[in-house]
Amino acid sequence: PPDERTGLFFGRAFRDCADLLRNSSLIIFLVISILACIPGMAYNNFGNLFLNTQKFSRPAALMTLGQVSDLLFLAVTPLLIRRFSLYSLFCSGVAAWLLRYLFLTGASALQLSWPVHVAIFLNGPCFVFIFVVGVLYVDRLVAGTHRGAAQGVFVIATGGIANLIGALLVGFTQAKFLTPETMLPPPYHWTPFWIFPAIVCTAAMVLTLFTTRSMRIRKDGSNQR
């Protein structure tokens, strides 16, 4: 629990922020988390439209396959945590986002339907391993008195900064590839549209691989650094 006898609220807040900024592992993890969450806006905002324009039957019902996947991966996550490290599971979530957009790119380029089903089912590891496991990992990176502040920063990074950047990127790609102002009817060039978030996912995946050694946590919960 936080120590309530450390002074006024703003004093505690500034001290917490200063301590968090000195935690290099946390800063690296937040950068990776932002990169990993930026591409989510493309799928969340345009996944259903993609299914409709590609003439999938009952697209809204098809997308609920992602929620089924969420429940399955939530159920098995406690078992996976006992076998694998939290950072390994988080990296798996980043890889799942990359695979999702590669499947969507291939499906739109080759006019195939099965990669779309796989991409939707990947919602489980995309969501659980990033947002659920990510919170657990932040809890291991930061000392007890600053865990609440660190998790708040994680939420701001993934749900605020990443979504803002993702919305700007998706708006640009939508205007360029899906619904250009000068073209009627809209061309809906889905292949290049899905490539852009795949590139961001690739950058996040590369960064996770380069930082795997420095982000490991001992069995006692402390960071090696």
Side-chain angles (χ1 to χ4, degrees), residues 39-47 63 97 100-101 104 120 123 194:
M41 296 296 287
Y43 177 81
N44 294 339
N45 292 347
F46 292 95
M63 291 195 73
W97 273 109
R100 162 177 274 181
Y101 286 117
L104 291 173
I120 295 174
N123 199 72
W194 294 127

Side-chain angles (χ1 to χ4, degrees), residues 157-176:
T158 56
I161 298 173
N163 283 351
L164 175 61
I165 299 174
L168 295 174
L169 178 63
V170 168
F172 168 77
T173 53
Q174 174 199 359
K176 188 171 181 63

Side-chain angles (χ1 to χ4, degrees), residues 33-103:
S33 300
I34 290 173
L35 285 175
C37 293
I38 286 174
M41 296 296 287
Y43 177 81
N44 294 339
N45 292 347
F46 292 95
N48 184 264
L49 178 63
F50 172 71
L51 297 180
N52 278 278
T53 57
Q54 299 299 301
K55 308 301 182 183
F56 278 84
S57 176
R58 299 174 180 174
L62 178 59
M63 291 195 73
T64 60
L65 181 64
Q67 280 65 58
V68 175
S69 176
D70 289 345
L71 295 175
L72 292 176
F73 276 88
L74 280 171
V76 301
T77 293
L79 301 177
L80 295 175
I81 290 175
R82 296 174 186 173
R83 188 175 182 86
F84 304 100
S85 69
L86 291 176
Y87 193 68
S88 297
L89 293 177
F90 181 84
C91 293
S92 299
V94 178
W97 273 109
L98 176 58
L99 288 174
R100 162 177 274 181
Y101 286 117
L102 291 178
F103 277 120

Side-chain angles (χ1 to χ4, degrees), residues 10-24:
F10 288 106
R12 294 200 309 271
F14 284 121
R15 280 192 292 272
D16 285 347
C17 290
D19 290 339
L20 294 179
L21 290 175
R22 286 193 291 266
N23 189 331
S24 60

Side-chain angles (χ1 to χ4, degrees), residues 72 209 218 224:
L72 292 176
L209 294 177
R218 296 193 185 100
Q224 286 185 343

